[in-house]
Amino acid sequence: MTDALNTLSMEYDMLPRGGTVLCAVSGGADSVYLLHRLWLLRDILGFNLIAAHYNHCLRGEESDRDEAFVRDFVAKWCGPQRFDGPEGEHTLPAVELVVGRGDVAAEAERQGRGLEETARDMRYAFLRDTAQRLGCDRIATAHTADDNAETLLLHLIRGTGLQGMAGIAPRRGDLVRPMLTTTRREVEEYLELYSIPHVEDSSNSDQRFTRNRIRRQVVPLLEELNPGFVRRMTDTTRYLRADNDYLNAQAAQVCAHARWAEDDLVIEAHYLADAPTAIAPRAARRLLEMMGDGDTDCSAAHLEAIVNLCRGDDPSAVAFLPGGRLAQRVYGELLLTTQDDPRPPFEPVTPVRGENPIPGTDWTLVLEEEPWPGLTVRPRQQGDELTRPGRRSRTVKKLMIDEKIPRRDRERIPVAADGDGVIAVAGLGENGSHPRFGAALRFVRRAREYNQTERMEG
């Protein structure tokens, strides 16, 4: 039971020696299991551990109960550890806990989106901003083998291809899921064996959610028909993921022929036109990812439209894509660009000590000291440069391209600057070459509403 997490983690380099792992903890059984296991493994594998909890403020007193439970659990179960090793006695510190909160219901109403989708986006934004701020190398979430099986069934119900049948990715950049080969039953047995407490989220029993119905009705039936169903689905998704990764690698080779023309992506159309049917749509998806928006909103029909542009005879055909993107055939080339409707820049702000919401953006500047002469928050300007710690100086424009920030959004990214140049850029970090590097200021996403973030020691 306890080897599966360690084996998967080593296979995908999830817990790097000398690195720092941010563990997301809701207070439920799965996340409590993950935090406790990581707490025990940190000395063996040599990584640092920080816990993070996000209060969605969706379930009233129950949401506050979960937050209080996580605070208490980290304090009581994840304290300092003393070890005797070959080099003598050493002590690992208590796990630090970071807590944030946001009004998910209000944000969902403001954006006109569903609660579940909004909650997920706000939670992951909090985790990523926390990881960046604290220098974490990985963000670990407690998705289990059961979650993977449920995801596969959800995709099959809605219709999917090989990409969807591959299930939840064990690792995507800095986001890792060490428990994908651990079943929920194994989690429950572990917690019972060591008398480790957890809390139950009442929304997990709400049958209005499709996933809950699959979890409580469909999966038990499949386990009854075929004992070991969840474990077999773990093997199935691993095989399908290997096939999917191979096809994606072939598509990446096609996309290697693309080139940048300022902010636009250009590739000779015949590369996609000549690609096999299993490869061409994947290459189209990969090109969109290279543009920076990813393919989140693009359906199979959109990808097929891009391929058809390349295979068609019309030298000026156009396909309009979600998110203000545009695919255009320009004689023998395919051009991927953003429609010419960039959001106008915001008006510069002279900050004061405390929180400074930047109008027209999703960002707030938090200034923890008195402002100095010349300090302002403004849109980027021609020639702005940023030197992130340990890296060479780059223009802010180039960094935004590298970080895949859509062109239409770049004028809405706040820049803190004074007479000596750029101090920090929202989402990109601080300028290590500025005389005031390390000043007590930081940007947080206002729309995410976790500016009440707290840090504490376990």
mmCIF file of all heavy atoms in Angstrom, residues 26-41:
data_model
loop_
_atom_site.group_PDB
_atom_site.id
_atom_site.type_symbol
_atom_site.label_atom_id
_atom_site.label_comp_id
_atom_site.label_asym_id
_atom_site.label_seq_id
_atom_site.Cartn_x
_atom_site.Cartn_y
_atom_site.Cartn_z
ATOM 1 N N SER A 26 -7.378 19.666 1.596
ATOM 2 C CA SER A 26 -8.763 20.094 1.816
ATOM 3 C C SER A 26 -9.252 19.711 3.201
ATOM 4 O O SER A 26 -10.170 20.333 3.738
ATOM 5 C CB SER A 26 -9.670 19.462 0.763
ATOM 6 O OG SER A 26 -9.751 18.058 0.954
ATOM 7 N N GLY A 27 -8.658 18.666 3.775
ATOM 8 C CA GLY A 27 -9.121 18.115 5.037
ATOM 9 C C GLY A 27 -9.818 16.783 4.851
ATOM 10 O O GLY A 27 -10.085 16.070 5.821
ATOM 11 N N GLY A 28 -10.123 16.424 3.582
ATOM 12 C CA GLY A 28 -10.726 15.137 3.286
ATOM 13 C C GLY A 28 -9.727 14.006 3.404
ATOM 14 O O GLY A 28 -8.517 14.224 3.537
ATOM 15 N N ALA A 29 -10.226 12.775 3.323
ATOM 16 C CA ALA A 29 -9.389 11.597 3.547
ATOM 17 C C ALA A 29 -8.198 11.555 2.600
ATOM 18 O O ALA A 29 -7.060 11.286 3.032
ATOM 19 C CB ALA A 29 -10.242 10.331 3.399
ATOM 20 N N ASP A 30 -8.425 11.789 1.312
ATOM 21 C CA ASP A 30 -7.345 11.660 0.335
ATOM 22 C C ASP A 30 -6.214 12.644 0.595
ATOM 23 O O ASP A 30 -5.032 12.275 0.590
ATOM 24 C CB ASP A 30 -7.890 11.858 -1.086
ATOM 25 C CG ASP A 30 -8.922 10.810 -1.463
ATOM 26 O OD1 ASP A 30 -8.948 9.742 -0.823
ATOM 27 O OD2 ASP A 30 -9.713 11.065 -2.393
ATOM 28 N N SER A 31 -6.562 13.912 0.827
ATOM 29 C CA SER A 31 -5.523 14.919 1.003
ATOM 30 C C SER A 31 -4.805 14.774 2.342
ATOM 31 O O SER A 31 -3.610 15.057 2.453
ATOM 32 C CB SER A 31 -6.106 16.333 0.858
ATOM 33 O OG SER A 31 -7.015 16.629 1.898
ATOM 34 N N VAL A 32 -5.530 14.317 3.369
ATOM 35 C CA VAL A 32 -4.891 14.061 4.665
ATOM 36 C C VAL A 32 -3.891 12.912 4.532
ATOM 37 O O VAL A 32 -2.776 12.965 5.060
ATOM 38 C CB VAL A 32 -5.956 13.749 5.732
ATOM 39 C CG1 VAL A 32 -5.325 13.110 6.968
ATOM 40 C CG2 VAL A 32 -6.692 15.022 6.126
ATOM 41 N N TYR A 33 -4.289 11.870 3.806
ATOM 42 C CA TYR A 33 -3.371 10.754 3.542
ATOM 43 C C TYR A 33 -2.117 11.263 2.832
ATOM 44 O O TYR A 33 -0.987 10.915 3.223
ATOM 45 C CB TYR A 33 -4.092 9.719 2.676
ATOM 46 C CG TYR A 33 -3.200 8.629 2.111
ATOM 47 C CD1 TYR A 33 -3.020 7.428 2.790
ATOM 48 C CD2 TYR A 33 -2.545 8.792 0.885
ATOM 49 C CE1 TYR A 33 -2.221 6.420 2.275
ATOM 50 C CE2 TYR A 33 -1.743 7.797 0.362
ATOM 51 C CZ TYR A 33 -1.585 6.614 1.053
ATOM 52 O OH TYR A 33 -0.779 5.626 0.537
ATOM 53 N N LEU A 34 -2.290 12.062 1.786
ATOM 54 C CA LEU A 34 -1.138 12.548 1.019
ATOM 55 C C LEU A 34 -0.207 13.384 1.896
ATOM 56 O O LEU A 34 1.020 13.189 1.880
ATOM 57 C CB LEU A 34 -1.620 13.382 -0.173
ATOM 58 C CG LEU A 34 -0.517 14.024 -1.020
ATOM 59 C CD1 LEU A 34 0.385 12.966 -1.638
ATOM 60 C CD2 LEU A 34 -1.123 14.917 -2.109
ATOM 61 N N LEU A 35 -0.767 14.300 2.674
ATOM 62 C CA LEU A 35 0.075 15.150 3.517
ATOM 63 C C LEU A 35 0.845 14.316 4.535
ATOM 64 O O LEU A 35 2.046 14.529 4.740
ATOM 65 C CB LEU A 35 -0.783 16.195 4.231
ATOM 66 C CG LEU A 35 -0.021 17.129 5.183
ATOM 67 C CD1 LEU A 35 1.035 17.934 4.438
ATOM 68 C CD2 LEU A 35 -0.984 18.055 5.918
ATOM 69 N N HIS A 36 0.164 13.369 5.157
ATOM 70 C CA HIS A 36 0.842 12.557 6.174
ATOM 71 C C HIS A 36 1.938 11.704 5.561
ATOM 72 O O HIS A 36 3.025 11.567 6.129
ATOM 73 C CB HIS A 36 -0.172 11.666 6.891
ATOM 74 C CG HIS A 36 0.377 11.017 8.120
ATOM 75 N ND1 HIS A 36 0.776 9.694 8.154
ATOM 76 C CD2 HIS A 36 0.627 11.521 9.364
ATOM 77 C CE1 HIS A 36 1.240 9.411 9.361
ATOM 78 N NE2 HIS A 36 1.154 10.482 10.123
ATOM 79 N N ARG A 37 1.686 11.121 4.387
ATOM 80 C CA ARG A 37 2.704 10.317 3.711
ATOM 81 C C ARG A 37 3.902 11.176 3.310
ATOM 82 O O ARG A 37 5.059 10.768 3.449
ATOM 83 C CB ARG A 37 2.111 9.653 2.470
ATOM 84 C CG ARG A 37 1.138 8.510 2.745
ATOM 85 C CD ARG A 37 1.804 7.326 3.437
ATOM 86 N NE ARG A 37 3.107 7.007 2.870
ATOM 87 C CZ ARG A 37 3.290 6.399 1.691
ATOM 88 N NH1 ARG A 37 2.247 6.011 0.974
ATOM 89 N NH2 ARG A 37 4.501 6.156 1.250
ATOM 90 N N LEU A 38 3.648 12.372 2.784
ATOM 91 C CA LEU A 38 4.754 13.257 2.403
ATOM 92 C C LEU A 38 5.542 13.692 3.628
ATOM 93 O O LEU A 38 6.773 13.836 3.571
ATOM 94 C CB LEU A 38 4.221 14.473 1.648
ATOM 95 C CG LEU A 38 3.582 14.210 0.279
ATOM 96 C CD1 LEU A 38 3.131 15.521 -0.360
ATOM 97 C CD2 LEU A 38 4.537 13.472 -0.652
ATOM 98 N N TRP A 39 4.839 13.915 4.726
ATOM 99 C CA TRP A 39 5.522 14.296 5.973
ATOM 100 C C TRP A 39 6.496 13.201 6.396
ATOM 101 O O TRP A 39 7.610 13.480 6.852
ATOM 102 C CB TRP A 39 4.464 14.536 7.047
ATOM 103 C CG TRP A 39 5.005 14.914 8.395
ATOM 104 C CD1 TRP A 39 5.575 16.102 8.758
ATOM 105 C CD2 TRP A 39 5.010 14.084 9.565
ATOM 106 N NE1 TRP A 39 5.935 16.075 10.085
ATOM 107 C CE2 TRP A 39 5.592 14.840 10.613
ATOM 108 C CE3 TRP A 39 4.565 12.793 9.839
ATOM 109 C CZ2 TRP A 39 5.749 14.355 11.902
ATOM 110 C CZ3 TRP A 39 4.716 12.289 11.127
ATOM 111 C CH2 TRP A 39 5.301 13.062 12.145
ATOM 112 N N LEU A 40 6.099 11.926 6.208
ATOM 113 C CA LEU A 40 6.973 10.816 6.565
ATOM 114 C C LEU A 40 8.097 10.614 5.554
ATOM 115 O O LEU A 40 9.191 10.180 5.907
ATOM 116 C CB LEU A 40 6.156 9.522 6.675
ATOM 117 C CG LEU A 40 5.131 9.451 7.814
ATOM 118 C CD1 LEU A 40 4.313 8.180 7.699
ATOM 119 C CD2 LEU A 40 5.816 9.540 9.168
ATOM 120 N N LEU A 41 7.843 10.938 4.291
ATOM 121 C CA LEU A 41 8.826 10.692 3.230
ATOM 122 C C LEU A 41 9.866 11.800 3.078
ATOM 123 O O LEU A 41 10.895 11.607 2.436
ATOM 124 C CB LEU A 41 8.115 10.516 1.888
ATOM 125 C CG LEU A 41 7.385 9.198 1.635
ATOM 126 C CD1 LEU A 41 6.567 9.283 0.357
ATOM 127 C CD2 LEU A 41 8.384 8.048 1.550
#
